[in-house]
Amino acid sequence: ASAIAGGWRWFGQRVEAAPVVYAALEGEAGYKLRAQAWEATHAQALPDGLRLMLDPFKLTEAQDVEDLAAVVPDGAVVIVDTLNRAAPDMEENSSRDMGKVLEAAKRLQTLTGGLVVLVHHTGKDESKGLRGHSSLFAALDAVVTVSCDGDRREWKIGKSKDGADGVARTFRLQVETLGFDEHGDSLTSCVVVPTNELPKEPKGKRMGECEGAVLEFLAAYKVGIKKAAVVAHFRDRYAKGPIYRAMQALVTAQAVHEAAGMVCIATAAK
């Protein structure tokens, strides 16, 4: 958020500056310390273009969407953290409920002329991707997944509608001591610091039946094919949800490439 608001390079990548509104709907109490930690690490104030919103907000309330859009600068990036807190009454596995939330996010994007970023969690089995109905992953223009293995952390582009997926970078959380509380205990928070580690190769894992079927189909097809066409091919054998999750798992494992809503086996894309 700070890199976008300041127009500063992020993990070596060029950034186009834009106003940022961060809707902190979860863990609100810690954001003041996070801001202080960032300023201590970078020896400068947070950019003026970054605004933190701690007020309650629901994507499921049409008036909340209209009210937020009315005060957000044109072309801003609105980060909603988290999707679950912004739609507490939503049944995540319901296509109808998920559709309403996605429509509300699209409405907010249209009104502001910017970008809406939804922070969401994976399920207990991270290999199955985003929690909830498969229409969420299918509707997103891009997905960045963050994983943790001990002190080692990594973000990875799991989906990019108009770009390359599979790009990954590693980072660590640097702890900053910011003072002491009334009991004499240290007040700390952490800051993301890029590292030069190589992204980990996906761990060896037995491929599921659905993933294997999709991979076999794409290998025979050779060229890129729309994801909807893959779903249609298997309609008499699998429901569309498992097919979309299989394609996502194969993209994450870098066995399949995805771009512009199409997929192809990795060897065919080289």
Side-chain angles (χ1 to χ4, degrees):
S2 58
I4 295 172
W8 304 318
R9 295 184 74 87
W10 187 75
F11 283 85
Q13 306 300 306
R14 185 176 63 254
V15 174
E16 183 176 342
V20 177
V21 175
Y22 198 109
L25 308 178
E26 187 172 284
E28 301 92 330
Y31 279 93
K32 181 178 179 180
L33 289 177
R34 290 190 194 182
Q36 292 176 1
W38 188 95
E39 292 179 337
T41 298
H42 296 278
Q44 61 179 323
L46 283 164
D48 292 336
L50 174 60
R51 291 290 180 267
L52 188 64
M53 185 184 84
L54 300 177
D55 297 327
F57 168 75
K58 289 185 179 181
L59 276 170
T60 49
E61 296 289 342
Q63 192 58 54
D64 279 11
V65 173
E66 299 289 330
D67 290 346
L68 178 57
V71 297
V72 168
D74 290 341
V77 176
V78 180
I79 301 174
V80 179
D81 186 0
T82 61
L83 175 59
N84 179 263
R85 290 297 296 271
D89 302 323
M90 173 186 67
E91 170 50 58
E92 288 185 335
N93 294 313
S94 164
S95 61
R96 181 178 180 181
D97 285 7
M98 188 62 77
K100 289 180 178 179
V101 169
L102 291 170
E103 186 60 34
K106 183 65 176 178
R107 174 65 176 164
L108 180 59
Q109 181 180 21
T110 300
L111 290 172
T112 60
L115 174 68
V116 175
V117 177
L118 303 174
V119 178
H120 192 45
H121 297 292
T122 59
K124 292 182 179 178
D125 185 350
E126 294 183 3
S127 67
K128 293 183 178 179
L130 299 176
R131 203 170 64 194
H133 196 269
S134 59
S135 58
L136 173 60
F137 184 84
L140 299 174
D141 291 328
V143 175
V144 178
T145 57
V146 179
S147 60
C148 173
D149 184 2
D151 292 333
R152 184 186 184 284
R153 289 167 168 80
E154 176 181 304
W155 61 259
K156 183 176 183 178
I157 300 177
K159 173 184 179 181
S160 180
K161 187 175 180 180
D162 298 313
D165 53 65
V167 176
R169 296 290 186 273
T170 59
F171 65 94
R172 63 183 174 86
L173 294 181
Q174 177 172 297
V175 177
E176 291 283 353
T177 300
L178 305 169
F180 302 90
D181 64 14
E182 64 274 19
H183 305 293
D185 295 326
S186 298
L187 293 173
T188 63
S189 190
C190 51
V191 180
V192 170
V193 176
T195 60
N196 296 320
E197 297 179 57
L198 291 174
K200 277 192 174 180
E201 293 295 324
K203 291 182 179 180
K205 159 186 158 176
R206 185 175 179 179
M207 187 177 295
E209 177 188 337
C210 189
E211 294 170 9
V214 170
L215 190 61
E216 183 179 2
F217 170 68
L218 293 176
Y221 203 86
K222 302 294 184 186
V223 296
I225 181 173
K226 289 184 177 179
K227 291 192 292 183
V230 178
V231 172
H233 174 79
F234 289 102
R235 64 178 175 270
D236 296 329
R237 185 174 169 187
Y238 300 106
K240 66 179 181 179
I243 293 296
Y244 276 117
R245 286 193 290 272
M247 287 189 283
Q248 179 185 355
L250 291 168
V251 168
T252 300
Q254 300 184 33
V256 166
H257 287 300
E258 176 187 13
M262 302 183 73
V263 288
C264 70
I265 195 164
T267 53
K270 293 180 180 179

